[in-house]
Amino acid sequence: MHEYSVACALLDQIEAAAHAHGVTAVKVVHLALGEQCGVEAGLLGGAFELARAGTVAADAELRIRPVPVRWVCPRCGGERPPGAPLVCPDDGAPARLEAGGEIILERLEMEV
Amino acid sequence: MCGTCGCGGESPVPTAGGVDVELHARVMAHNDHAAEHNRAHFRAAGLTVINLMGSPGAGKTALLEATARARPGLRLAAVSGDLATDNDADRLAKAGIRSRSITTGTVCHLDAEMLHDALHHWSPGDAEVLVVENVGNLVCPAIFDLGQAANVVCLSVTEGDDKPLKYPVMFREADLVVITKADLLPYLPGASLEGLRASLAQVMPDPRCIVTSATGDEGTGEWLGWIDALRARTREGES
Ligand SMILES: Nc1nc2c(ncn2[C@@H]2O[C@H](COP(=O)(O)OP(=O)(O)O)[C@@H](O)[C@H]2O)c(=O)[nH]1
Ligand SMILES: [Mg+2]
Ligand SMILES: [Zn+2]
Ligand SMILES: [Zn+2]
């Protein structure tokens, strides 16, 4: 379960930010999670609850914002529909993943 | 504001009894940073590194054995990530491939720091190509950059044509898919190369695959050609 490793990396970033801003506790963690980022939201939530003990985020709520997958042709800007081949039928260009692959710590709500 | 680019831009906003900070930080940044460090080591050593992934039993070790058989002159070394055993490293040694294993214990993937630590304790000698045989798993290794020049995924025909659709992240990150055990196709009424290719086209932006069979050494020539091209590309990047 690599979600535990990801939760630990997330907590390292939270601790660093809390330290930088001199805060004692983190209340809410806002995370953007692509629907094809390779991490399962439910498993990550569980791993976060285990890993947060003893950190500034010990009582923090993890709020996950799911980001839908979007493949776009870099040449014509056309969006590839789900289930379709990722090579553009019009110009043969390989599509680019515009959204849905990210794991981003967006915002922290902290207490001083 | 930067949306979700991961630029790490901060802008603290005071709130009642606290502070709100916009971070937009990529959570995998630490591993990616370590991977870039590995990449610099590999570049300096003139080493082309391949991250070889796939399910347990997909034929990753067999592909390496076939590679050494097909071109004994290739200076090939391997690191294999294994949950518990050294079996792969033993097989590789028998095939004449300089190798060492990283026993990951309960960890289901290799990360950039694990590879870095292993390579500071063990040298791949005069190797020109280093293959990292990752832990057998179609999920966890996908998001951990190791500093490789290319990701290769082994997919055996016995796993089912739909596997790329079930594990899209692993296949999306693949530069090449090696379809293995093609010799078994006649015994698998439900499997077809057309079906596999159609699945790959839905998850890989630039779907490239090579069909192999380790028993008859089918496809090893094409595979060696792909390695040579990758090697030439990494050399260009060095200069
Ligand atoms: N018939 C056949 N069997 C293969 C082929 N490649 C691997 N195998 C067998 O599949 C099993 C798993 O292979 P192995 O290389 O250990 O897979 P790994 O776990 O991905 O490293 C072994 O029993 C191999 O002999 C192949 O091309 N054809
Ligand atoms: Mg193996
Ligand atoms: Zn297009
Ligand atoms: Zn180093």
Side-chain angles (χ1 to χ4, degrees):
Chain A
M1 202 182 73
H2 61 298
E3 277 80 4
Y4 193 80
S5 306
V6 176
C8 292
L10 173 62
L11 281 158
D12 285 345
Q13 285 176 329
I14 294 170
E15 295 249 70
H19 185 75
H21 292 275
V23 304
T24 49
V26 174
K27 284 186 297 187
V28 188
V29 177
H30 294 269
L31 191 74
L33 205 62
E35 280 171 354
Q36 222 182 71
C37 71
V39 168
E40 198 71 52
L43 292 176
L44 182 62
F48 182 78
E49 277 182 27
L50 284 176
R52 69 184 176 177
T55 73
V56 288
D59 298 311
E61 177 197 345
L62 178 62
R63 248 180 246 170
I64 294 178
R65 178 174 73 85
V67 183
V69 172
R70 229 165 65 83
W71 284 97
V72 174
C73 172
R75 211 164 285 168
C76 69
E79 196 164 325
R80 307 302 304 128
L86 293 178
V87 170
C88 180
D90 298 327
D91 46 43
R96 213 170 33 215
L97 187 68
E98 286 289 317
E102 61 277 79
I103 312 174
I104 305 264
L105 170 55
E106 293 190 304
R107 190 159 68 89
L108 290 175
E109 296 178 36
M110 308 190 278
E111 271 167 29
V112 219
Chain B
M1 202 51 58
C2 59
T4 51
C5 71
C7 69
E10 295 199 22
S11 49
V13 178
T15 60
V19 62
D20 264 23
V21 183
E22 299 277 349
L23 288 159
H24 298 280
R26 293 175 48 255
V27 173
M28 300 307 290
H30 181 79
N31 182 73
D32 291 352
H33 186 79
E36 281 312 318
H37 175 81
N38 287 353
R39 215 162 255 129
H41 272 298
F42 300 150
R43 208 175 296 123
L47 195 59
T48 300
V49 179
I50 295 171
N51 180 14
L52 184 61
M53 299 178 280
S55 319
K60 299 179 291 299
T61 309
L63 178 68
L64 292 178
E65 291 167 325
T67 309
R69 251 195 329 267
R71 193 189 286 170
L74 179 69
R75 297 200 306 275
L76 179 66
V79 169
S80 48
D82 207 316
L83 293 173
T85 71
D86 282 339
N87 292 352
D88 282 355
D90 293 346
R91 276 172 64 192
L92 294 168
K94 277 206 190 80
I97 302 170
R98 184 182 170 83
S99 77
R100 87 153 257 170
S101 56
I102 304 178
T103 309
T104 56
T106 58
V107 182
C108 48
H109 59 270
L110 292 174
D111 67 26
E113 278 180 349
M114 289 160 81
L115 181 61
H116 181 264
D117 291 352
L119 291 175
H120 268 279
H121 289 105
W122 173 84
S123 150
D126 67 347
E128 51 194 333
V129 175
L130 174 70
V131 176
V132 180
E133 179 177 342
N134 217 311
V135 182
N137 182 328
L138 280 177
V139 181
C140 312
I143 63 168
F144 295 90
D145 185 3
L146 302 178
Q148 70 279 345
N151 280 331
V152 176
V153 178
C154 275
L155 175 65
S156 59
V157 295
T158 55
E159 289 171 70
D161 296 1
D162 61 340
K163 285 306 164 295
L165 304 178
K166 290 194 174 162
Y167 303 97
V169 181
M170 168 75 54
F171 289 93
R172 182 186 81 210
E173 297 298 324
D175 298 289
L176 176 74
V177 170
V178 174
I179 296 174
T180 59
K181 309 192 191 182
D183 55 296
L184 298 179
L185 275 169
Y187 310 99
L188 302 165
S192 75
L193 293 178
E194 296 70 44
L196 276 169
R197 286 205 180 93
S199 294
L200 291 175
Q202 290 179 45
V203 292
M204 288 173 83
D206 185 13
R208 284 169 201 270
C209 63
I210 294 176
V211 180
T212 67
S213 133
T215 49
D217 283 344
E218 173 192 352
T220 35
E222 200 183 337
W223 160 241
L224 285 168
W226 183 87
I227 292 177
D228 289 338
L230 176 69
R231 180 107 188 93
R233 278 204 303 280
T234 31
R235 275 215 201 92
E236 261 167 46
E238 280 159 26
S239 57

